[in-house]
DNA sequence: CGGCGACTTGATACGTCTCAAACTATGTGG
DNA sequence: CCACATAGTTTGAGACGTATCAAGTCGCCG
């Protein structure tokens, strides 16, 4: 069951630039080590650890974050269904941030060893994993710009646009609405704002008629308008290559 | 001549986690396409372009940045000697930020094709390039934390610590001082502060006796003290593995 | 019923921005 | 060799966006 999900989410995403052979698809599925069902706000990986599996989210949300000595927290990434949380530990000695769940989540662990083996023997798989990592990097950079250069209002709008498109790319948007389980505290730790100010900013977004956000459901009434308010351009997500139809396996 | 520099800077850095064979070293040198000597503030790569070579800085500084429609600029990375500016375009269709020089610079272009060929045929080389990309990603994330969570004072101190250590790792620190050719405007665009405030902040760092910064020369009088002021921990740079002695080639 | 997490609102404080203007160093053309 | 322009740095004063502190509401779960 989690195999089917992994195939439809992760593999579909990894194939976005280049389709795989049936064997390649199967070899990734064979790397599944275990499946974890986690509650909200559970720890997955601790900063500094040397875990020996990599995690892929199939349901729910997770995030990467770093804690500062004074207790402040900066969330540095979100993992939505289909995202790999910690691909980097296949090659770096230690994790440089912690990973935790946001909502209830279904996560599979892939064996680090088997994955390493795969990428050595299939350049196409290696390339695909590389590419997702590079997209993640592009997202980090965009977040830096967001936090560094935009007002609270645009910043929040930008985050909503990004999450909406990422969720839409994995089929988790119906009409104009999607699950959005982040608390205002989590949004604050993402956008580098205080919770109070996030609250006021969301209020303003609601008042302006751009969004509805209630009961962990986000509705974007007019995406182009929200994008304009955010100064959002989706290029950095490299979603253009994610196809809606079934890709035909390569030879 | 640029071959020697490339070997001593880039290859030394890429070998940080795992030494290469003589053939592997040579194959990277053979990928050199051309050598560019550039003035300060020259464009190397434009956002959105599809360049067909990747750039390695051998002398001088370069940076990656993104411009916003209103003219604001966020610098998202620095490239010091030994750094690859745009490794990602080996696998992503378009550049997602621009690259320009900060100071006069000597840059080599490696052929994208040959590099791709190398990484397919030598898993060890592939791993090494991967790893530098992952370190770059860790740096982005740390910058996000810096801009999001720290005061102007710590933020500036943090940047100075990072650059100092990165330069030291490639042998560009004598005693406690290194070249530091950034203008205050560039520091401002990096730290997401106004130029005026950067100026006051640097003044304060000077007054506190932590640094001397004059004529593009940075001296850090007591690194541990500056690190403490910055809340800086060097783990994310993964420099621990860069050796001072000559690594022996692997078989 | 009590307690806890998330959200909301108000008042005040503070860090940083913006605007404005000197001042310095460097390079250029007359 | 001077006059001038240009780029970078420095300083002052006031404005503004966001933080902080404080308190209260709502819904949910034990």
């Amino acid at each position: 069951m989690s195999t089917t999900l992994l195939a439809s989410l992760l593999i579909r995403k990894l194939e976005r630039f280049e389709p795989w052979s049936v064997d390649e698809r199967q070899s990734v599925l064979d790397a599944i080590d275990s499946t974890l069902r986690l509650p909200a706000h559970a720890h997955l990986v601790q900063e500094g650890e040397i875990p020996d599996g990599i995690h892929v989210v199939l349901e729910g949300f997770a995030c990467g974050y770093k804690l500062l000595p004074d207790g402040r927290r900066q969330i540095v990434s979100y993992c939505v269904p289909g995202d790999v949380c910690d691909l980097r530990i296949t090659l770096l000695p230690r994790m440089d941030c912690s990973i935790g769940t946001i909502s209830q989540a279904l996560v599979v662990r892939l064996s680090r060893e088997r994955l390493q083996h795969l990428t050595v023997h299939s350049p196409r798989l290696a390339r695909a994993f590389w590419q997702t990592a590079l997209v993640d990097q592009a997202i980090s950079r965009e977040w830096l710009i967001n936090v560094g250069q935009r007002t609270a209002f645009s910043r929040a709008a930008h985050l909503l646009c990004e999450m909406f498109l990422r969720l839409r790319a994995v089929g988790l948007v119906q009409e104009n609405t999607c699950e959005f389980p982040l608390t205002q505290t989590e949004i604050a730790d993402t956008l580098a704002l205080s919770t109070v100010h996030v609250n006021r900013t969301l209020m303003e977004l609601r008042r302006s008629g751009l969004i509805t956000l209630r009961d962990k459901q986000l509705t974007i009434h007019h995406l182009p308008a929200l994008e304009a308010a955010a100064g959002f351009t989706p290029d950095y997500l490299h979603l253009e290559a994610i196809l809606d139809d079934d890709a035909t396996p390569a030879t």
Side-chain angles (χ1 to χ4, degrees), chain A:
Chain A
M1 166 214 62
S2 60
T3 311
T4 319
L5 260 179
L6 187 72
S8 71
L9 290 171
L10 175 67
I11 296 183
R12 151 74 52 77
K13 198 176 76 162
L14 286 170
E15 283 184 279
R16 72 173 106 176
F17 295 109
E18 191 180 8
W20 295 353
S21 71
V22 174
D23 283 357
E24 282 166 331
R25 288 182 183 175
Q26 190 55 47
S27 66
V28 171
L29 294 177
D30 291 342
I32 295 181
D33 210 78
S34 56
T35 305
L36 314 169
R37 193 164 278 288
L38 297 162
H41 307 118
H43 288 291
L44 251 175
V45 182
Q46 205 76 16
E47 185 179 341
E49 265 184 35
I50 312 169
D52 66 349
I54 74 149
H55 300 89
V56 181
V57 176
L58 299 187
E59 287 173 10
F61 284 44
C63 72
Y65 62 91
K66 243 174 158 167
L67 293 169
L68 279 82
D70 64 350
R72 284 165 173 275
R73 176 172 75 148
Q74 176 69 49
I75 292 178
V76 296
S77 66
Y78 283 116
C79 302
V80 302
D83 287 344
V84 184
C85 301
D86 46 8
L87 185 56
R88 50 191 172 287
I89 56 99
T90 49
L91 286 175
L92 286 187
R94 278 173 281 96
M95 269 302 280
D96 47 38
C97 68
S98 306
I99 309 277
T101 59
I102 297 273
S103 60
Q104 278 200 334
L106 182 65
V107 173
V108 293
R109 275 181 67 141
L110 303 182
S111 148
R112 178 179 169 167
E113 260 186 12
R114 255 177 291 174
L115 209 68
Q116 238 157 3
H117 185 265
L118 285 186
T119 55
V120 168
H121 290 83
S122 162
R124 187 150 49 192
L125 291 183
R127 249 190 326 267
F129 279 104
W130 242 114
Q131 280 162 335
T132 57
L134 291 174
V135 171
D136 288 346
Q137 195 180 0
I139 295 175
S140 294
R141 273 194 295 267
E142 193 63 33
W143 282 29
L144 178 61
I145 292 159
N146 207 26
V147 167
Q149 301 297 334
R150 289 190 255 260
T151 62
F153 189 83
S154 310
R155 229 184 275 188
H158 196 279
L159 176 65
L160 299 181
C161 289
E162 180 186 309
M163 295 309 282
F164 186 81
L165 290 193
R166 286 171 64 183
L167 290 170
R168 195 170 66 179
V170 287
L172 292 174
V173 167
Q174 286 89 33
E175 301 277 330
N176 300 314
T177 108
C178 61
E179 287 284 320
F180 197 76
L182 313 191
T183 65
Q184 294 187 355
T185 306
E186 285 156 348
I187 298 176
D189 290 345
T190 307
L191 300 179
L193 294 168
S194 67
T195 334
V196 173
H197 205 65
V198 164
N199 182 277
R200 293 196 229 269
T201 305
L202 290 178
M203 287 301 201
E204 210 182 325
L205 279 163
R206 285 190 266 245
R207 250 183 284 116
S208 68
L210 290 167
I211 64 159
T212 302
L213 179 53
R214 218 179 42 218
D215 303 329
K216 304 190 179 308
Q217 294 279 323
L218 169 67
T219 305
I220 295 183
H221 297 117
H222 187 52
L223 185 56
L226 190 64
E227 289 182 344
F232 180 89
T233 38
D235 308 26
Y236 71 99
L237 293 173
H238 292 275
L239 295 174
E240 72 285 342
I242 297 188
L243 307 165
D244 282 316
D245 53 353
D246 272 25
T248 30
T251 46

